[in-house]
Structures are given as C-alpha cells and as structure tokens.
Amino acid sequence: MNQCTAVTLLPPPEFLIRLAAPGGSCPEAGHLLCELAEHHDGDHAMVLWDNDANRTAVWARWRGERATMAELSWCGAIDPRGEDACGLFAGHPSAHDWDIVDPTLAAVDAALAGAHPHLFSERDR
C-alpha cells in the first residue's frame, strides 16, 4: 500500500515571529509529509519527535491548511515477523507502517539495487 502524498506547511509559532528582531531572519515554515497509508480516514499525520520517557511522540496532524500538535502513544502492534513495532500512533486510521511503501523511496532503492547489487541483500531486492 502506498504512502499518503499529502503535504502542508507548518508555520513557525507566532511567539518566534515576534522574537525575531526587525531586520533579523524570521523562522521559516517546515514541510509536513503524511506518514499514513493513502486513502486513510481523518487527519493527516507526521511524527515530529518522540518522548522516550513516557513512550509517546508529538505528532502534527492536519486537514486542509491548519495543523495541530498532539502527544500520542505509539501503536502497540508488532510486525508479523516479530521484528519491528509499528512506527505510527495508537489507533491510527490506516495500515501499519510495515505495509506502507513510500513510492519515491522504493524507486530510489530499486535504482540503487540495480546499479549496486552487492550493497543489497536478496530480501531488499
């Protein structure tokens, strides 16, 4: 299943803009890329940073141009091979991350594997 292609800008917080001195550089907006599977329900979402102390992460969630931030618990699912935990938030509205493919990264990986097969295992090709 392909990754959602939704993108939005996260403008800097208003207090940072006010702190920027006249003539100084103003903080720039950052791009948010949805990490959920395409055709998901609800808001788009991207993890901003994790909080190891309480096993949560801060996620940016958006619909349209307005983004909010929320601290959410990690999804507790483990992949069928028992190797990795899902890297999305608990209750996410799409497939688990091991079933989501970023088509751009997949194309880059395929090109690199073709050009440099010795750098990739059989499982990666």
Side-chain angles (χ1 to χ4, degrees), residues 20-36:
S25 63
C26 184
E28 295 183 21
H31 291 87
L32 299 177
L33 309 171
C34 185
E35 295 184 39
L36 302 174

Side-chain angles (χ1 to χ4, degrees), residues 46-120:
M46 178 179 165
V47 69
L48 299 177
W49 64 86
D50 66 27
N51 182 349
D52 289 334
N54 62 1
R55 297 182 183 177
T56 62
V58 175
W59 289 78
R61 299 181 76 183
W62 73 95
R63 187 177 301 186
E65 294 182 16
R66 180 171 165 75
T68 58
M69 288 184 253
E71 187 172 16
L72 303 171
S73 297
W74 289 105
C75 176
I78 303 295
D79 76 358
R81 296 179 306 213
E83 296 177 8
D84 295 313
C86 179
L88 300 173
F89 56 90
H92 56 86
S94 69
H96 295 294
D97 72 342
W98 55 79
D99 289 327
I100 300 172
V101 175
D102 179 332
T104 302
L105 290 179
V108 169
D109 285 347
L112 289 173
H116 307 283
H118 62 285
L119 298 176
F120 292 81

